[in-house]
Amino acid sequence: MSAVDGIATDVTLRIYGASELGVLSQTAPGAAHPRVEYVGGEVFVGLDHRDGNTPVTQGETEGADAGFRDAVRSATSAAGDTPVEGASSLVISEEALAAAVLLDPSRLAGAGLSGAPVAFPYARDRVIIVGADDDTAIARVLDIAEQLYEAEQPLVSAHPIVLTEDGWAPFPWRERLPELEMRFERVLRLFSVRAYDVQTAALQRPDVHIAPAKIQVLESGVTTTFAAWPQGTATLLPVVDNVIIADPAGTLSVATMAEFLDAAGDAVIRTGLSPARYFVPGDEPDASKA
């Protein structure tokens, strides 16, 4: 029996965020990488073997695209019923059920949402769905995002997705909810820092400084992010609001990310990492001191 034969009865649905898949591209590349289907925004769904809680991988399903899709459909059907009748909002704490709703939005047909369904895929055990026109519910969802961040549990994505005629798409909250912009921006930065924390641990190497992203709340209440660059040191720098530059004499200066990149020019290279980072080269060794 091949690796794909019988897979439909062996698996359960698994939710992935783009940042986790980016880390896995470093720690489990190629054939070891999870096989996933794209949902929308930063969200993907794959399969886990029930017996070992291990992902169904690209190597495992190579040349068996139809078999993989059949297994996803079977696992979606097996996820159970979605209790949505008349509900004005949904908090789905069972991962397989949440994934099934994302893959098969027709499950939401009986819900009493105010406007198009908007999914907030914050964590595997916390996918929240509210109506696009329910401003009060959306504000409450942002509270939950902060609670999940403070709980230090694994996160999926801070980017909400809305159901359209063509499937799930990024929810345009800046245009729809300008009064909540500061709160959305804060949640995006909290989740970004958490994603960079996970990436930093996965990228550790002796010859390059992996700069962590940090949170700073300004006196105005605005939440920003920053990272430090030890000048002259080869560094992988996260995308943040501000870069603190420490020169060898110990003097500190601050530049916005855009200012830093403009000043560095072609010397700084955007990597293919996800979350995105820039490689900042170090100083060339001084031959006179060799």
Side-chain angles (χ1 to χ4, degrees), residues 131-185:
D133 300 328
D134 195 341
D135 298 4
T136 301
I138 292 174
R140 289 198 300 268
V141 171
L142 295 172
D143 291 337
I144 294 174
E146 297 217 23
Q147 293 166 11
L148 292 171
Y149 174 80
E150 293 296 336
E152 299 187 355
Q153 70 176 81
L155 303 174
V156 174
S157 173
H159 294 273
I161 49 180
V162 61
L163 189 61
T164 71
E165 292 182 356
D166 299 320
W168 295 103
F171 177 56
W173 52 265
R174 286 186 175 86
E175 293 79 16
R176 298 284 296 274
L177 297 163
E179 69 277 11
L180 292 176
E181 180 175 2
M182 184 180 294
R183 296 198 59 202
F184 269 103
E185 292 286 2

Side-chain angles (χ1 to χ4, degrees), residues 99-118:
V101 170
L102 293 173
L103 290 171
D104 180 15
S106 68
R107 287 169 169 258
L108 298 171
L113 303 177
S114 178
V118 179

Side-chain angles (χ1 to χ4, degrees), residues 232 282-290:
D283 290 341
E284 293 291 333
D286 189 342
S288 67
K289 296 181 181 180

Side-chain angles (χ1 to χ4, degrees), residues 11-52:
V11 295
T12 186
L13 297 172
R14 183 76 164 171
I15 296 173
Y16 290 93
S19 62
E20 182 184 8
L21 290 175
V23 170
L24 288 171
S25 70
Q26 305 298 311
T27 60
H33 196 71
R35 171 75 182 268
V36 295
E37 294 281 304
Y38 180 59
V39 172
E42 294 186 335
V43 183
F44 301 76
V45 171
L47 297 170
D48 256 19
H49 292 290
R50 290 180 184 275
D51 54 357

Side-chain angles (χ1 to χ4, degrees), residues 198-270:
V198 177
Q199 187 192 65
T200 295
L203 292 176
Q204 290 300 325
R205 49 188 290 183
D207 56 335
V208 176
H209 173 59
I210 315 297
K214 300 291 185 182
I215 288 288
Q216 180 181 28
V217 180
L218 306 180
E219 291 183 3
S220 62
V222 174
T223 299
T224 64
T225 55
F226 71 92
W229 176 50
Q231 190 172 356
T233 302
T235 300
L236 281 172
L237 194 67
V239 177
V240 288
D241 294 304
N242 298 301
V243 179
I244 298 176
I245 305 163
D247 70 19
T251 303
L252 301 180
S253 58
V254 180
T256 66
M257 191 79 198
E259 291 169 343
F260 181 84
L261 295 176
D262 285 345
D266 293 339
V268 172
I269 302 168
R270 186 183 176 96

